[in-house]
Amino acid sequence: MSENSLPTPTPKVNPETKPFWDATAEGKLLLKRCNQCQTVIWYPRFLCPACASTDTLWFEASGEGVVYSYTVTRRGQGHYWQAAPYVLAYVELAEGPRVLTNIVDCVPESVAIGQKVEAVFHDTGEGSALVRFRPA
Amino acid sequence: MSIKGKAFIAGAYEHPDREIPGKSPAQVHAEVALGALADAGLSLSDVDAYFCAGDAPGFGTISMAEYLGLGLSYMDSTETGGSSYVVHVGHAAAAIAAGKCQVALITLAGLPRSGDFGRPPFGGAPEGAFENVFGPTVLGMYALAAQRHMYEFGTTSEQLAAIKVAASHHAQHNSRAFLQDVITIEDVLQSPLVSDPLHRLDCCVITDGGGALLVVSPEVARDLDRQCVKVLGEGEAPKHTNNGRIDLTHTGALWSGPRAFREAGLTPADIDYASIYDSFTITVLETIEDLGFCEKGKGGSFVMDGALHAPHGKLPFNTDGGGLCNNHPANRGGMTKVIEAVRQLRGEAHPKVQVPDCSLALAHGTGGSLGTRMGSATLILGREDA
């Protein structure tokens, strides 16, 4: 686990997404791949939205990606009301999906589109961790 | 089968107030319903179809039918966020064309400025846990789209600001507008950055308020004294994160626009006036590209040099001041988009911003967020004789 200065709200876990969240607590980013058309699925769900197959398998992702877009949030809300400035971003994973996340362990203004990043896991203390990214 | 010419908007009413303390949401729904009925010259007993969205209190159509004392043969509570009311016009026209009803009432009301945020949205959404733990804000999710659009196409903050400036030029003539001062590009750029690259003045206003529309059959329209507006076409589409392959540089207008134009048998070049959903400046920029008013990526240069200014710009837009300056009741801008298009086609916009000989208009709604998922809807309207 990397050092964390952002809030770690606990995600609402359901039976469909429990394997994903259980793995985050062990520092693993799991994705689903369709066993029929090989499409990598995000967010995880019981069917493949590309071909409608329900034959899907979990696999461990590399944790590598690049910044697809980002914003420096200067006024947070809810759990983040005292967290600003912080970076909200879409990271395009090496496996394909673009995931919403935060970029951490850097000066917010230094983040750039196309920047290489790697996953870090911030424990919620409730059997899950938030998958964030830091400059690689 | 199409809805073209099969239904007319006979009544349109925007609540005059922007801050409404001391009233309930149901009461404001009722006030705007009565306003639209009075505009059309109809009464509640004429209404046989009712449409409302997520802002309606309680059990939606059922609660409001009870409150208003409506007997109905048709009801529709399609919820696509701020675009719902644009969708409702299309659905009402389709229901009328199918013979299901004759007089369809559509209402919107809400009191966010007074601290009433209505029913909580998105409960149990399957995507929720993968997004809301990272501190997304409403503005932040649009900022992600703006940042990517800038990266891919070289769009600038000045160009986004020009959209707000155009809206402010229109709002100065609207004595009900929440913001009535004419502002400059510098004013926008000097307002605080809230979520880079968007500034405070890239945002719409937060207002209490509401609005209502009456969509009627050609037979009903013929018997009314009031000038009606012809429904020519409607298109709608969801746009979402597409299995984690979201493209932040376009909206659902890319799909809803062509559907509406096809149904109307028209092209973007035919449009005299456009109401473009304007929750934020970037919403307008991407939408005018997606609707085909300019090439993808060229929205930034298109909006400069007064293109959006009424009455003589290339594409006069949001002549009431839009959501950016006038009104964004219940945080849902689709209703006021249709209402101002109706005013333009009736020749009843403010004289300083009335588009001369306005005969074809477009109203576009974007509900949800540019940064994740939205319901898009495009409506094409014509003068009664169009």
Side-chain angles (χ1 to χ4, degrees):
Chain A
M1 301 282 165
S2 80
E3 203 167 316
N4 174 36
S5 60
L6 285 179
T8 47
T10 305
K12 199 169 175 186
V13 177
N14 64 38
E16 195 182 2
T17 60
K18 192 168 186 301
F20 174 88
W21 292 110
D22 285 350
T24 60
E26 296 166 16
K28 292 179 183 168
L29 171 58
L30 290 194
L31 299 175
K32 272 195 161 186
R33 181 183 283 118
C34 175
N35 218 14
Q36 293 300 314
C37 75
Q38 307 306 315
T39 300
V40 177
I41 298 164
W42 183 259
Y43 50 90
R45 66 198 81 170
F46 103 102
L47 56 67
C48 169
C51 76
S53 169
T54 55
D55 182 9
T56 64
L57 293 173
W58 292 103
F59 71 101
E60 186 174 353
S62 65
E64 295 168 3
V66 297
V67 175
Y68 170 71
S69 194
Y70 73 96
T71 179
V72 181
T73 308
R74 296 176 188 279
R75 276 189 222 168
Q77 299 166 351
H79 288 286
Y80 284 70
W81 75 282
Q82 286 183 314
Y86 64 95
V87 179
L88 180 71
Y90 272 108
V91 164
E92 183 172 311
L93 302 176
E95 292 79 9
R98 293 168 180 163
V99 303
L100 197 68
T101 187
N102 306 116
I103 309 296
V104 296
D105 298 346
C106 63
V107 176
E109 285 77 7
S110 70
V111 174
I113 290 176
Q115 183 176 9
K116 287 184 178 173
V117 291
E118 62 186 19
V120 294
F121 296 83
H122 290 168
D123 203 329
T124 65
E126 301 286 341
S128 59
L130 304 188
V131 186
R132 291 173 169 141
F133 290 81
R134 67 182 174 203
Chain B
M1 177 87 181
S2 107
I3 61 171
K4 186 177 182 180
K6 306 251 175 73
F8 291 78
I9 297 178
Y13 181 78
E14 180 182 14
H15 199 287
D17 298 332
R18 304 292 177 265
E19 195 155 10
I20 313 177
K23 289 183 184 173
S24 75
Q27 182 179 2
V28 181
H29 275 276
E31 285 185 350
V32 295
L34 295 176
L37 287 161
D39 183 49
L42 291 164
S43 67
L44 272 177
S45 60
D46 296 313
V47 173
D48 62 0
Y50 178 61
F51 294 68
C52 62
D55 54 283
F59 201 7
T61 51
I62 314 299
S63 286
M64 286 310 303
E66 179 174 339
Y67 186 104
L68 294 167
L70 297 173
L72 301 171
S73 62
Y74 200 85
M75 52 199 160
D76 180 329
S77 51
T78 300
E79 164 64 348
T80 60
S83 61
S84 300
Y85 323 93
V86 182
V87 171
H88 290 167
V89 174
H91 289 193
I96 289 167
K100 297 277 191 184
C101 54
Q102 295 265 324
V103 177
L105 168 67
I106 307 166
T107 66
L108 154 81
L111 306 167
R113 188 145 203 99
S114 296
D116 183 335
F117 297 98
R119 287 188 275 169
F122 310 129
E127 68 275 9
F130 298 96
E131 298 174 356
N132 55 29
V133 290
F134 298 112
T137 62
V138 174
L139 181 60
M141 296 313 294
Y142 284 77
L144 290 171
Q147 194 84 270
R148 185 71 196 185
H149 200 280
M150 289 177 165
Y151 175 81
E152 289 198 25
F153 303 116
T155 305
T156 66
S157 291
E158 287 78 4
Q159 291 168 338
L160 292 177
I163 295 165
K164 179 80 163 195
V165 170
S168 81
H169 274 268
H170 300 156
Q172 68 176 314
H173 305 298
N174 182 354
S175 62
R176 297 288 187 181
F178 189 78
L179 302 174
Q180 295 177 23
D181 292 341
V182 173
I183 60 168
T184 65
I185 287 175
E186 267 313 291
D187 290 333
V188 179
L189 300 186
Q190 284 173 11
S191 67
L193 265 178
V194 182
S195 200
D196 307 15
L198 297 180
H199 299 76
R200 183 164 191 264
L201 288 180
D202 283 297
C203 304
C204 65
V205 298
I206 294 176
T207 47
D208 296 343
L213 295 162
L214 280 166
V215 185
V216 305
S217 67
E219 296 72 33
V220 171
R222 202 176 304 132
D223 291 338
L224 294 173
D225 294 331
R226 189 74 165 108
Q227 186 191 347
C228 295
V229 161
K230 192 184 282 186
V231 178
L232 298 177
E234 186 256 358
E236 57 196 57
K239 190 219 166 194
H240 49 66
T241 61
N242 185 28
N243 191 27
R245 276 71 171 176
I246 192 169
D247 181 343
L248 290 172
T249 64
H250 76 86
T251 71
L254 196 61
W255 305 307
S256 67
R259 284 170 192 154
F261 280 117
R262 202 178 310 126
E263 188 163 49
L266 297 169
T267 70
D270 296 315
I271 298 300
D272 299 311
Y273 164 81
S275 282
I276 306 290
Y277 203 90
D278 57 349
S279 44
F280 302 95
T281 53
I282 183 65
T283 319
V284 177
L285 190 91
E286 290 198 1
T287 303
I288 59 176
E289 294 176 349
D290 297 335
L291 290 174
F293 290 113
C294 67
E295 224 178 287
K296 182 43 80 182
K298 300 285 173 60
S301 49
F302 180 86
V303 302
M304 298 304 280
D305 306 320
L308 301 178
H309 289 239
H312 300 301
K314 274 181 288 186
L315 183 68
F317 98 129
N318 301 7
T319 39
D320 59 339
L324 288 170
C325 294
N326 169 36
N327 195 10
H328 197 64
N331 297 324
R332 291 161 171 264
M335 173 64 73
T336 41
K337 296 291 160 294
V338 180
I339 292 172
E340 184 65 5
V342 170
R343 288 193 193 106
Q344 280 285 349
L345 291 167
R346 284 171 161 174
E348 294 175 358
H350 190 281
K352 297 276 193 193
V353 294
Q354 174 66 47
V355 175
D357 197 31
C358 185
S359 70
L360 295 167
L362 175 148
H364 181 82
T366 308
S369 177
L370 253 58
T372 50
R373 54 197 62 80
M374 69 189 83
S376 293
T378 309
L379 181 66
I380 298 178
L381 301 171
R383 231 166 26 199
E384 193 161 13
D385 58 1

mmCIF file of all heavy atoms in Angstrom, chain A residues 1-2 7-11 13 18 20-29 120-132, chain B residues 129-130 133-134:
data_model
loop_
_atom_site.group_PDB
_atom_site.id
_atom_site.type_symbol
_atom_site.label_atom_id
_atom_site.label_comp_id
_atom_site.label_asym_id
_atom_site.label_seq_id
_atom_site.Cartn_x
_atom_site.Cartn_y
_atom_site.Cartn_z
ATOM 1 N N MET A 1 0.856 -1.202 0.000
ATOM 2 C CA MET A 1 0.000 0.000 0.000
ATOM 3 C C MET A 1 0.888 1.247 0.000
ATOM 4 O O MET A 1 1.823 1.337 0.776
ATOM 5 C CB MET A 1 -0.883 0.012 1.259
ATOM 6 C CG MET A 1 -1.795 -1.204 1.379
ATOM 7 S SD MET A 1 -3.251 -1.131 0.327
ATOM 8 C CE MET A 1 -3.810 -2.838 0.375
ATOM 9 N N SER A 2 0.568 2.195 -0.904
ATOM 10 C CA SER A 2 1.344 3.440 -0.911
ATOM 11 C C SER A 2 0.753 4.385 0.135
ATOM 12 O O SER A 2 -0.365 4.198 0.606
ATOM 13 C CB SER A 2 1.309 4.090 -2.292
ATOM 14 O OG SER A 2 0.106 4.804 -2.481
ATOM 15 N N PRO A 7 -9.177 10.723 0.889
ATOM 16 C CA PRO A 7 -10.173 9.901 1.589
ATOM 17 C C PRO A 7 -10.308 8.531 0.921
ATOM 18 O O PRO A 7 -10.043 8.398 -0.279
ATOM 19 C CB PRO A 7 -11.474 10.695 1.412
ATOM 20 C CG PRO A 7 -11.081 12.044 0.929
ATOM 21 C CD PRO A 7 -9.747 11.923 0.277
ATOM 22 N N THR A 8 -10.707 7.543 1.701
ATOM 23 C CA THR A 8 -10.926 6.196 1.135
ATOM 24 C C THR A 8 -12.339 5.735 1.484
ATOM 25 O O THR A 8 -12.521 4.847 2.327
ATOM 26 C CB THR A 8 -9.900 5.189 1.683
ATOM 27 O OG1 THR A 8 -9.818 5.356 3.099
ATOM 28 C CG2 THR A 8 -8.543 5.371 1.062
ATOM 29 N N PRO A 9 -13.329 6.335 0.841
ATOM 30 C CA PRO A 9 -14.700 5.870 1.106
ATOM 31 C C PRO A 9 -14.847 4.409 0.721
ATOM 32 O O PRO A 9 -14.200 3.942 -0.217
ATOM 33 C CB PRO A 9 -15.562 6.776 0.226
ATOM 34 C CG PRO A 9 -14.651 7.407 -0.756
ATOM 35 C CD PRO A 9 -13.281 7.403 -0.158
ATOM 36 N N THR A 10 -15.679 3.697 1.446
ATOM 37 C CA THR A 10 -15.859 2.268 1.198
ATOM 38 C C THR A 10 -16.847 2.056 0.055
ATOM 39 O O THR A 10 -17.963 2.552 0.099
ATOM 40 C CB THR A 10 -16.404 1.576 2.462
ATOM 41 O OG1 THR A 10 -15.519 1.876 3.539
ATOM 42 C CG2 THR A 10 -16.489 0.074 2.266
ATOM 43 N N PRO A 11 -16.416 1.336 -0.972
ATOM 44 C CA PRO A 11 -17.344 1.066 -2.081
ATOM 45 C C PRO A 11 -18.435 0.111 -1.648
ATOM 46 O O PRO A 11 -18.227 -0.721 -0.762
ATOM 47 C CB PRO A 11 -16.441 0.422 -3.136
ATOM 48 C CG PRO A 11 -15.340 -0.196 -2.343
ATOM 49 C CD PRO A 11 -15.119 0.685 -1.155
ATOM 50 N N VAL A 13 -20.245 -3.053 -2.107
ATOM 51 C CA VAL A 13 -19.906 -4.317 -2.764
ATOM 52 C C VAL A 13 -21.170 -5.164 -2.872
ATOM 53 O O VAL A 13 -21.981 -5.200 -1.954
ATOM 54 C CB VAL A 13 -18.834 -5.068 -1.938
ATOM 55 C CG1 VAL A 13 -18.512 -6.420 -2.553
ATOM 56 C CG2 VAL A 13 -17.580 -4.210 -1.791
ATOM 57 N N LYS A 18 -17.951 -8.761 -5.781
ATOM 58 C CA LYS A 18 -17.150 -9.103 -4.601
ATOM 59 C C LYS A 18 -15.755 -9.631 -4.952
ATOM 60 O O LYS A 18 -14.769 -9.223 -4.308
ATOM 61 C CB LYS A 18 -17.907 -10.121 -3.722
ATOM 62 C CG LYS A 18 -17.281 -10.320 -2.348
ATOM 63 C CD LYS A 18 -18.201 -11.090 -1.424
ATOM 64 C CE LYS A 18 -17.633 -11.168 -0.010
ATOM 65 N NZ LYS A 18 -16.312 -11.804 0.065
ATOM 66 N N PHE A 20 -13.826 -8.790 -7.334
ATOM 67 C CA PHE A 20 -12.997 -7.632 -7.677
ATOM 68 C C PHE A 20 -12.498 -6.942 -6.412
ATOM 69 O O PHE A 20 -11.298 -6.700 -6.250
ATOM 70 C CB PHE A 20 -13.804 -6.646 -8.540
ATOM 71 C CG PHE A 20 -13.075 -5.360 -8.822
ATOM 72 C CD1 PHE A 20 -12.234 -5.260 -9.914
ATOM 73 C CD2 PHE A 20 -13.210 -4.241 -7.974
ATOM 74 C CE1 PHE A 20 -11.541 -4.076 -10.184
ATOM 75 C CE2 PHE A 20 -12.519 -3.067 -8.224
ATOM 76 C CZ PHE A 20 -11.681 -2.992 -9.334
ATOM 77 N N TRP A 21 -13.436 -6.659 -5.519
ATOM 78 C CA TRP A 21 -13.063 -5.894 -4.323
ATOM 79 C C TRP A 21 -12.218 -6.728 -3.358
ATOM 80 O O TRP A 21 -11.302 -6.194 -2.720
ATOM 81 C CB TRP A 21 -14.321 -5.333 -3.643
ATOM 82 C CG TRP A 21 -14.979 -4.277 -4.495
ATOM 83 C CD1 TRP A 21 -16.166 -4.378 -5.156
ATOM 84 C CD2 TRP A 21 -14.449 -2.980 -4.816
ATOM 85 N NE1 TRP A 21 -16.425 -3.227 -5.861
ATOM 86 C CE2 TRP A 21 -15.392 -2.346 -5.674
ATOM 87 C CE3 TRP A 21 -13.288 -2.289 -4.469
ATOM 88 C CZ2 TRP A 21 -15.199 -1.059 -6.185
ATOM 89 C CZ3 TRP A 21 -13.086 -1.006 -4.965
ATOM 90 C CH2 TRP A 21 -14.030 -0.407 -5.816
ATOM 91 N N ASP A 22 -12.522 -8.024 -3.242
ATOM 92 C CA ASP A 22 -11.687 -8.896 -2.394
ATOM 93 C C ASP A 22 -10.241 -8.862 -2.881
ATOM 94 O O ASP A 22 -9.302 -8.807 -2.078
ATOM 95 C CB ASP A 22 -12.206 -10.343 -2.444
ATOM 96 C CG ASP A 22 -13.482 -10.532 -1.633
ATOM 97 O OD1 ASP A 22 -13.851 -9.592 -0.893
ATOM 98 O OD2 ASP A 22 -14.114 -11.602 -1.760
ATOM 99 N N ALA A 23 -10.041 -8.871 -4.197
ATOM 100 C CA ALA A 23 -8.685 -8.874 -4.749
ATOM 101 C C ALA A 23 -7.960 -7.554 -4.477
ATOM 102 O O ALA A 23 -6.754 -7.544 -4.211
ATOM 103 C CB ALA A 23 -8.740 -9.140 -6.258
ATOM 104 N N THR A 24 -8.716 -6.451 -4.529
ATOM 105 C CA THR A 24 -8.050 -5.156 -4.271
ATOM 106 C C THR A 24 -7.442 -5.130 -2.878
ATOM 107 O O THR A 24 -6.379 -4.540 -2.668
ATOM 108 C CB THR A 24 -9.027 -3.967 -4.418
ATOM 109 O OG1 THR A 24 -10.101 -4.113 -3.485
ATOM 110 C CG2 THR A 24 -9.553 -3.841 -5.831
ATOM 111 N N ALA A 25 -8.103 -5.793 -1.935
ATOM 112 C CA ALA A 25 -7.581 -5.805 -0.562
ATOM 113 C C ALA A 25 -6.246 -6.539 -0.488
ATOM 114 O O ALA A 25 -5.470 -6.355 0.450
ATOM 115 C CB ALA A 25 -8.602 -6.465 0.381
ATOM 116 N N GLU A 26 -5.978 -7.384 -1.492
ATOM 117 C CA GLU A 26 -4.689 -8.096 -1.567
ATOM 118 C C GLU A 26 -3.740 -7.430 -2.548
ATOM 119 O O GLU A 26 -2.727 -8.024 -2.965
ATOM 120 C CB GLU A 26 -4.924 -9.557 -1.987
ATOM 121 C CG GLU A 26 -5.724 -10.342 -0.967
ATOM 122 C CD GLU A 26 -6.234 -11.669 -1.541
ATOM 123 O OE1 GLU A 26 -5.731 -12.103 -2.590
ATOM 124 O OE2 GLU A 26 -7.156 -12.229 -0.926
ATOM 125 N N GLY A 27 -4.070 -6.212 -2.989
ATOM 126 C CA GLY A 27 -3.185 -5.482 -3.895
ATOM 127 C C GLY A 27 -3.230 -5.990 -5.319
ATOM 128 O O GLY A 27 -2.254 -5.866 -6.067
ATOM 129 N N LYS A 28 -4.355 -6.565 -5.725
ATOM 130 C CA LYS A 28 -4.483 -7.068 -7.103
ATOM 131 C C LYS A 28 -5.638 -6.365 -7.810
ATOM 132 O O LYS A 28 -6.723 -6.210 -7.242
ATOM 133 C CB LYS A 28 -4.770 -8.580 -7.096
ATOM 134 C CG LYS A 28 -3.623 -9.418 -6.611
ATOM 135 C CD LYS A 28 -4.029 -10.890 -6.616
ATOM 136 C CE LYS A 28 -2.904 -11.748 -6.045
ATOM 137 N NZ LYS A 28 -3.358 -13.114 -5.780
ATOM 138 N N LEU A 29 -5.373 -5.991 -9.071
ATOM 139 C CA LEU A 29 -6.426 -5.431 -9.919
ATOM 140 C C LEU A 29 -6.934 -6.534 -10.839
ATOM 141 O O LEU A 29 -6.212 -7.000 -11.723
ATOM 142 C CB LEU A 29 -5.881 -4.254 -10.744
ATOM 143 C CG LEU A 29 -6.795 -3.694 -11.840
ATOM 144 C CD1 LEU A 29 -8.137 -3.227 -11.275
ATOM 145 C CD2 LEU A 29 -6.098 -2.542 -12.573
ATOM 146 N N VAL A 120 -1.771 1.832 -7.607
ATOM 147 C CA VAL A 120 -1.490 1.699 -6.177
ATOM 148 C C VAL A 120 -2.825 1.374 -5.498
ATOM 149 O O VAL A 120 -3.889 1.659 -6.045
ATOM 150 C CB VAL A 120 -0.878 2.980 -5.572
ATOM 151 C CG1 VAL A 120 0.493 3.239 -6.159
ATOM 152 C CG2 VAL A 120 -1.785 4.180 -5.772
ATOM 153 N N PHE A 121 -2.742 0.760 -4.320
ATOM 154 C CA PHE A 121 -3.955 0.278 -3.660
ATOM 155 C C PHE A 121 -4.097 0.953 -2.307
ATOM 156 O O PHE A 121 -3.194 0.843 -1.474
ATOM 157 C CB PHE A 121 -3.901 -1.252 -3.515
ATOM 158 C CG PHE A 121 -3.883 -1.941 -4.852
ATOM 159 C CD1 PHE A 121 -2.691 -2.104 -5.558
ATOM 160 C CD2 PHE A 121 -5.061 -2.400 -5.418
ATOM 161 C CE1 PHE A 121 -2.680 -2.729 -6.794
ATOM 162 C CE2 PHE A 121 -5.064 -3.031 -6.649
ATOM 163 C CZ PHE A 121 -3.866 -3.195 -7.353
ATOM 164 N N HIS A 122 -5.191 1.649 -2.100
ATOM 165 C CA HIS A 122 -5.421 2.356 -0.841
ATOM 166 C C HIS A 122 -6.529 1.653 -0.063
ATOM 167 O O HIS A 122 -7.708 1.680 -0.441
ATOM 168 C CB HIS A 122 -5.789 3.817 -1.126
ATOM 169 C CG HIS A 122 -4.638 4.622 -1.645
ATOM 170 N ND1 HIS A 122 -4.792 5.875 -2.193
ATOM 171 C CD2 HIS A 122 -3.302 4.360 -1.691
ATOM 172 C CE1 HIS A 122 -3.601 6.353 -2.559
ATOM 173 N NE2 HIS A 122 -2.687 5.454 -2.262
ATOM 174 N N ASP A 123 -6.132 1.048 1.045
ATOM 175 C CA ASP A 123 -7.028 0.206 1.839
ATOM 176 C C ASP A 123 -8.160 1.031 2.458
ATOM 177 O O ASP A 123 -7.918 2.098 3.002
ATOM 178 C CB ASP A 123 -6.210 -0.466 2.950
ATOM 179 C CG ASP A 123 -6.873 -1.737 3.453
ATOM 180 O OD1 ASP A 123 -8.124 -1.808 3.440
ATOM 181 O OD2 ASP A 123 -6.130 -2.657 3.842
ATOM 182 N N THR A 124 -9.372 0.522 2.340
ATOM 183 C CA THR A 124 -10.501 1.211 2.977
ATOM 184 C C THR A 124 -10.711 0.760 4.419
ATOM 185 O O THR A 124 -11.503 1.356 5.137
ATOM 186 C CB THR A 124 -11.814 0.924 2.206
ATOM 187 O OG1 THR A 124 -12.100 -0.475 2.315
ATOM 188 C CG2 THR A 124 -11.699 1.318 0.740
ATOM 189 N N GLY A 125 -10.014 -0.329 4.806
ATOM 190 C CA GLY A 125 -10.217 -0.879 6.147
ATOM 191 C C GLY A 125 -11.495 -1.703 6.252
ATOM 192 O O GLY A 125 -11.894 -2.126 7.339
ATOM 193 N N GLU A 126 -12.155 -1.923 5.146
ATOM 194 C CA GLU A 126 -13.435 -2.655 5.142
ATOM 195 C C GLU A 126 -13.373 -3.834 4.169
ATOM 196 O O GLU A 126 -14.360 -4.165 3.515
ATOM 197 C CB GLU A 126 -14.578 -1.720 4.732
ATOM 198 C CG GLU A 126 -14.766 -0.499 5.629
ATOM 199 C CD GLU A 126 -15.408 -0.847 6.979
ATOM 200 O OE1 GLU A 126 -16.022 -1.927 7.078
ATOM 201 O OE2 GLU A 126 -15.278 -0.047 7.908
ATOM 202 N N GLY A 127 -12.183 -4.408 4.006
ATOM 203 C CA GLY A 127 -12.066 -5.577 3.116
ATOM 204 C C GLY A 127 -11.955 -5.217 1.652
ATOM 205 O O GLY A 127 -12.172 -6.053 0.772
ATOM 206 N N SER A 128 -11.604 -3.957 1.365
ATOM 207 C CA SER A 128 -11.431 -3.527 -0.027
ATOM 208 C C SER A 128 -10.368 -2.438 -0.070
ATOM 209 O O SER A 128 -9.972 -1.892 0.968
ATOM 210 C CB SER A 128 -12.747 -2.995 -0.603
ATOM 211 O OG SER A 128 -13.216 -1.899 0.170
ATOM 212 N N ALA A 129 -9.898 -2.145 -1.293
ATOM 213 C CA ALA A 129 -8.952 -1.039 -1.485
ATOM 214 C C ALA A 129 -9.343 -0.291 -2.755
ATOM 215 O O ALA A 129 -9.925 -0.876 -3.676
ATOM 216 C CB ALA A 129 -7.522 -1.567 -1.596
ATOM 217 N N LEU A 130 -9.042 1.014 -2.774
ATOM 218 C CA LEU A 130 -9.309 1.812 -3.970
ATOM 219 C C LEU A 130 -8.091 1.736 -4.879
ATOM 220 O O LEU A 130 -6.958 1.916 -4.428
ATOM 221 C CB LEU A 130 -9.612 3.265 -3.597
ATOM 222 C CG LEU A 130 -10.767 3.469 -2.601
ATOM 223 C CD1 LEU A 130 -11.095 4.964 -2.479
ATOM 224 C CD2 LEU A 130 -12.001 2.681 -3.000
ATOM 225 N N VAL A 131 -8.334 1.473 -6.159
ATOM 226 C CA VAL A 131 -7.244 1.382 -7.133
ATOM 227 C C VAL A 131 -7.005 2.771 -7.713
ATOM 228 O O VAL A 131 -7.808 3.285 -8.483
ATOM 229 C CB VAL A 131 -7.578 0.383 -8.254
ATOM 230 C CG1 VAL A 131 -6.350 0.206 -9.167
ATOM 231 C CG2 VAL A 131 -8.001 -0.955 -7.669
ATOM 232 N N ARG A 132 -5.892 3.366 -7.267
ATOM 233 C CA ARG A 132 -5.481 4.666 -7.788
ATOM 234 C C ARG A 132 -4.187 4.477 -8.568
ATOM 235 O O ARG A 132 -3.637 3.371 -8.648
ATOM 236 C CB ARG A 132 -5.322 5.668 -6.640
ATOM 237 C CG ARG A 132 -6.668 6.030 -6.015
ATOM 238 C CD ARG A 132 -6.525 6.884 -4.781
ATOM 239 N NE ARG A 132 -7.810 7.422 -4.362
ATOM 240 C CZ ARG A 132 -8.187 7.539 -3.085
ATOM 241 N NH1 ARG A 132 -7.389 7.154 -2.103
ATOM 242 N NH2 ARG A 132 -9.367 8.045 -2.783
ATOM 243 N N ALA B 129 -20.104 2.020 -7.543
ATOM 244 C CA ALA B 129 -18.946 1.735 -6.695
ATOM 245 C C ALA B 129 -17.630 1.964 -7.419
ATOM 246 O O ALA B 129 -16.590 2.170 -6.776
ATOM 247 C CB ALA B 129 -19.013 0.293 -6.198
ATOM 248 N N PHE B 130 -17.653 1.942 -8.753
ATOM 249 C CA PHE B 130 -16.413 2.091 -9.518
ATOM 250 C C PHE B 130 -16.128 3.548 -9.869
ATOM 251 O O PHE B 130 -15.150 3.851 -10.547
ATOM 252 C CB PHE B 130 -16.487 1.234 -10.787
ATOM 253 C CG PHE B 130 -16.634 -0.223 -10.468
ATOM 254 C CD1 PHE B 130 -17.882 -0.823 -10.453
ATOM 255 C CD2 PHE B 130 -15.527 -0.978 -10.112
ATOM 256 C CE1 PHE B 130 -18.023 -2.156 -10.117
ATOM 257 C CE2 PHE B 130 -15.657 -2.308 -9.778
ATOM 258 C CZ PHE B 130 -16.905 -2.906 -9.776
ATOM 259 N N VAL B 133 -16.354 6.591 -5.456
ATOM 260 C CA VAL B 133 -15.336 6.568 -4.395
ATOM 261 C C VAL B 133 -14.142 7.475 -4.721
ATOM 262 O O VAL B 133 -13.298 7.705 -3.858
ATOM 263 C CB VAL B 133 -14.814 5.135 -4.145
ATOM 264 C CG1 VAL B 133 -15.895 4.296 -3.497
ATOM 265 C CG2 VAL B 133 -14.315 4.496 -5.430
ATOM 266 N N PHE B 134 -14.081 8.001 -5.947
ATOM 267 C CA PHE B 134 -12.908 8.791 -6.363
ATOM 268 C C PHE B 134 -13.146 10.303 -6.335
ATOM 269 O O PHE B 134 -12.338 11.071 -6.852
ATOM 270 C CB PHE B 134 -12.448 8.349 -7.755
ATOM 271 C CG PHE B 134 -12.014 6.910 -7.796
ATOM 272 C CD1 PHE B 134 -12.749 5.951 -8.485
ATOM 273 C CD2 PHE B 134 -10.880 6.494 -7.098
ATOM 274 C CE1 PHE B 134 -12.358 4.619 -8.495
ATOM 275 C CE2 PHE B 134 -10.478 5.164 -7.098
ATOM 276 C CZ PHE B 134 -11.226 4.225 -7.799
#
